[in-house]
Amino acid sequence: MALIVQKFGGTSVGNPERIKNVARKVIQEKLAGNQVVVVVSAMSGQTDQLIGLCKQMSDNPSKREMDMMVSTGEQVTIALLAIGLIDLGHDAISYNGWQVGIRTTDEYSKAKILDIDTKRIRESLDEGKVVVVAGFQGIDHKGNITTLGRGGSDTTAVAVAAALRADRCDIYTDVDGVYTADPRVVPDAKRLDKISHDEMLELASMGSKVLHDRSVIFAMKYNVPLRVVSSFDDGPGTLIVKESSEMEDVLISGIAKKDNEVRVNIAGIPDKPGVASSIFKKLADANINVNMIIQSVGFEGESQISFTVINTDLDEAKKVMETLQAELGAKNVSYDADISIVSVVGVGMKVYSGVAAAVFDELAKNSINIEMISTSEIKISVVIRKNLAEKTVQALHKRFFLNA
Ligand code: ASP
Ligand code: MG
């Protein structure tokens, strides 16, 4: 008997009719002779609505209470799905994150899963039940409810699959797989049959919304066979797998864009050892994740550093930067939210040269100014004006996928 973890996103559970459709998909797996654990998101739009309610109470709502609030969205869907399954004659039971021991760090709104106590899930599976688990939420060491960051239900699913050593984790969503670019931006984007963990991780961290980035980290670390499939039709989807050498034959796997980062620039700081360390230590202590970092070459004893943070961390980051400006005697700190980051990702870059040159050439031809550049072994990212982001993705997609 195989153990399958299925995850259904917000659109897939968007209304009672759709939840009934999910119940039928779950039953199919069960009738095929499998044990099934289902992880669900809140109904689409629900999390935004709950956040909106909190913001009506305060401009700066308590993070603990925000997590208390937004975690309720998933509680609604687990109950509805369990009710639907039972109604169709299949025994099922729903659990909140804390009821099945999903222990996390205490970073509200972006907690990380530490471990999962699978005892209760196993017991219910052994009783022949379908187990329905709330995505996106957990509990910290003090018993507070935490959430994993937007889109975090994917991570719950993969972490549950890893903890249970499941045979497969299927992520059901409103698209039928991972595409070479967001099909809403690039209509002729193509579905990928498979993609490596590393590429998927880069794409997910750089703005592709198909999978939550931490879910890919779990899949990679614990070797969970992961598949992205559509809730609405029966296509093969995309497999996320270990890298193999034939993958390097494909130069580029995908292009992603990220619109929710803000650039922070601190100028006129002393050009001496320890300055970068003091800046990024303070940001890390405040649990602020930094994405791109660029330091310019020092000149006359001064230097400047630019980096990007996610916009939901901006208020927090501003507080840290104020203290730092005073401490370092920095001349100026500025913020720019009008940027996007566009990234080109592919393991083929490890063996083929000239990808960076082609990216820059294409942007030059389109008169798109590059404001920051960063690279990894399998990725090239550029910061550009936000209003040029779609055009940039379209141009690069054409360059790498259509003229190839
Ligand atoms: N409901 C949460 C969100 O909207 C988590 C998820 O959908 O994965 O971000
Ligand atoms: Mg999602």
Side-chain angles (χ1 to χ4, degrees), residues 15-30:
N15 58 45
E17 215 34 67
R18 288 187 173 176
I19 297 177
K20 286 181 189 172
N21 176 48
V22 166
R24 285 188 283 270
K25 293 226 177 242
V26 174
I27 290 167
Q28 256 175 32
E29 285 293 0
K30 183 90 199 328

Side-chain angles (χ1 to χ4, degrees), residues 227-297:
R227 200 164 64 118
V228 173
V229 279
S230 163
S231 303
F232 304 109
D233 56 51
D234 288 324
T238 299
L239 285 169
I240 293 100
V241 293
K242 256 205 186 102
E243 187 182 322
S244 57
S245 56
E246 101 261 0
M247 285 178 163
E248 290 177 351
D249 295 344
V250 183
L251 188 56
I252 298 299
S253 293
I255 300 173
K257 101 177 146 60
K258 204 165 191 201
D259 297 319
N260 60 350
E261 299 243 343
V262 180
R263 177 170 53 196
V264 181
N265 185 60
I266 180 163
I269 48 177
D271 184 19
K272 61 172 198 209
V275 171
S277 158
S278 62
I279 295 174
F280 294 106
K281 172 148 196 323
K282 276 224 162 61
L283 291 162
D285 288 345
N287 285 330
I288 296 167
N289 279 330
V290 173
N291 191 349
M292 283 170 110
I293 303 176
I294 289 192
Q295 171 166 247
S296 58
V297 176

Side-chain angles (χ1 to χ4, degrees), residues 257-264 307-311 314 318 334-342 368-372 382-390 392:
K257 101 177 146 60
K258 204 165 191 201
D259 297 319
N260 60 350
E261 299 243 343
V262 180
R263 177 170 53 196
V264 181
F307 56 89
T308 65
V309 297
I310 195 156
N311 56 14
L314 184 60
K318 280 185 173 167
S334 59
Y335 305 91
D336 185 350
D338 242 4
I339 57 155
S340 288
I341 307 176
V342 172
I368 295 163
N369 190 41
I370 303 172
E371 302 179 22
M372 287 167 97
V382 293
V383 169
I384 45 150
R385 286 295 97 195
K386 193 171 264 168
N387 62 358
L388 298 175
E390 294 205 347
T392 305

